[in-house]
Amino acid sequence: MFNFVLDTILIARSESGDETVHSRPLEAALGAASSLNNFERAVALLPPFYHDHFKDLEGPLMRNVEDGKVEMVRYLLNKGVSPNIDRLDSTPVTRAIMGGNDTIVRMLLDSDADPTYQTRHRNNALMTAVWQGRVAMASTLLDCGVDPNDGNPPPVVLAVFKEHLNMFQLLRYHGARLDTSEAGGLAMKLADFHGLSSIQDVLVHEGVSRDIILDYDLSREAISKSWYPLLC
């Protein structure tokens, strides 16, 4: 289908004598290219004035990150596409984390993706890694200097809600705080509300009091409504 579209564009240009015919559909085809050969063939058909404008290649980068196309991601980054895109409250790094692709996460970070970047809803890469249970990726981000307390809610609260003890311990090792109502207090109330007795015991061992009063709706429905859209 991809080659059919390009062939159709070539025929239309040949018949009209106009090299700019169907430039917009051609841009759309660039976004759908899933291999280097297809992509380079489409680029070769772009009018000269398009060649220096790679802003529109942000969409293909996001799509190829999500699809796990390592070589396409490398190609687009080498073409100068920024790894710090914020589209629909996600970034290339958060998309790669969702897809579980360690190679692309590392590639983006090596290409100067900002591991601390927060979207307008304060979602960030570490929150996504914690929510998805990607311990190795969370460790990579923390080793890059990401603040373990940065996020709303704090990442340690997400680890408690997901009952992910290894993640919890990793965050604590890197300095995640539990001495605030937004972190330890909310974590304890979540554990209590959802009957996570083993997690409560861990929090008590870490110095969090069981006797905390917070005005939060802690039902799974409320949490899913406020957190899930940001992280999934």
Side-chain angles (χ1 to χ4, degrees), residues 16-38:
S16 67
D18 183 355
E19 292 188 358
T20 66
V21 168
H22 297 318
S23 292
R24 290 299 179 185
L26 188 55
E27 286 185 274
L30 281 170
S34 59
S35 71
L36 291 179
N37 288 338
N38 285 347

Side-chain angles (χ1 to χ4, degrees), residues 50-68:
Y50 277 92
H51 282 208
D52 294 329
H53 300 282
F54 283 98
K55 183 177 180 180
D56 289 336
L57 298 185
E58 292 177 353
L61 177 63
M62 293 290 274
R63 187 175 298 107
N64 281 285
V65 166
E66 188 171 341
D67 293 343

Side-chain angles (χ1 to χ4, degrees), residues 78-158:
N78 289 339
K79 281 292 186 182
V81 184
S82 172
N84 295 305
I85 306 163
D86 183 350
R87 288 198 171 190
L88 300 177
D89 218 45
S90 66
T91 67
V93 173
T94 58
R95 290 276 182 94
I97 291 170
M98 291 178 190
N101 197 310
D102 295 90
T103 299
I104 292 181
V105 169
R106 174 51 62 185
M107 186 186 302
L108 291 164
L109 293 174
D110 289 344
S111 297
D112 296 326
D114 182 1
T116 68
Y117 181 85
Q118 287 199 2
T119 66
R120 64 185 182 279
H121 289 123
R122 294 193 65 192
N123 181 24
N124 60 42
L126 182 59
M127 291 173 67
T128 303
V130 173
W131 185 266
Q132 297 289 335
R134 314 287 194 198
V135 177
M137 292 181 182
S139 181
T140 295
L141 294 168
L142 291 164
D143 288 341
C144 287
V146 173
D147 185 346
N149 301 296
D150 200 7
N152 182 28
V156 72
V157 174
L158 298 177

Side-chain angles (χ1 to χ4, degrees), residues 1-9 25-43 45:
M1 177 60 74
F2 185 90
N3 285 322
F4 173 78
V5 171
L6 296 191
D7 291 340
T8 301
I9 292 173
L26 188 55
E27 286 185 274
L30 281 170
S34 59
S35 71
L36 291 179
N37 288 338
N38 285 347
F39 189 88
E40 290 177 342
R41 185 182 178 208
V43 168
L45 294 177

